[in-house]
Amino acid sequence: MNGGDFVFQLIMLIMLGTLVVATIYVARSIIKGKQKRSHEEARLSSIEDKLDDVIAVIEKKKPE
C-alpha cells in the first residue's frame, strides 16, 4: 500500500498547488480591477472639472 499512499499524496499536492495558483490569479484580477476603476474615476473627475470650467465661462459670457 506504500505506492498507493504516494500517489494519493502526489494528487493532493497537485490539487493544493492548483488551488494556490487559482487564488493568486483571482487576487491579482481583483487588484487590477480596482486599479482600473480608480484610474477611470480619476479620468472622469478630470473631465467633470473641465466641464465645470466650460460652464463657468459660458455663464460669464451669457448676455443678461
Side-chain angles (χ1 to χ4, degrees), residues 40-59:
E40 288 173 353
E41 287 174 1
R43 201 169 137 209
L44 288 174
S45 177
S46 172
I47 292 171
E48 187 178 47
D49 292 342
K50 290 176 184 176
L51 286 174
D52 287 342
D53 292 343
V54 169
I55 290 171
V57 169
I58 290 172
E59 287 179 355

Side-chain angles (χ1 to χ4, degrees), residues 26-51:
V26 169
R28 289 184 68 192
S29 296
I30 291 170
I31 290 170
K32 271 188 173 181
K34 286 182 180 178
Q35 288 175 346
K36 185 177 179 183
R37 192 173 322 129
S38 175
H39 176 70
E40 288 173 353
E41 287 174 1
R43 201 169 137 209
L44 288 174
S45 177
S46 172
I47 292 171
E48 187 178 47
D49 292 342
K50 290 176 184 176
L51 286 174

Side-chain angles (χ1 to χ4, degrees), residues 1-11:
M1 287 303 252
N2 241 356
D5 290 340
F6 175 74
V7 171
F8 177 75
Q9 289 176 354
L10 184 61
I11 290 171

Side-chain angles (χ1 to χ4, degrees), residues 4-26:
D5 290 340
F6 175 74
V7 171
F8 177 75
Q9 289 176 354
L10 184 61
I11 290 171
M12 289 296 126
L13 187 61
I14 290 170
M15 288 174 55
L16 181 62
T18 303
L19 179 63
V20 168
V21 169
T23 303
I24 291 170
Y25 178 76
V26 169

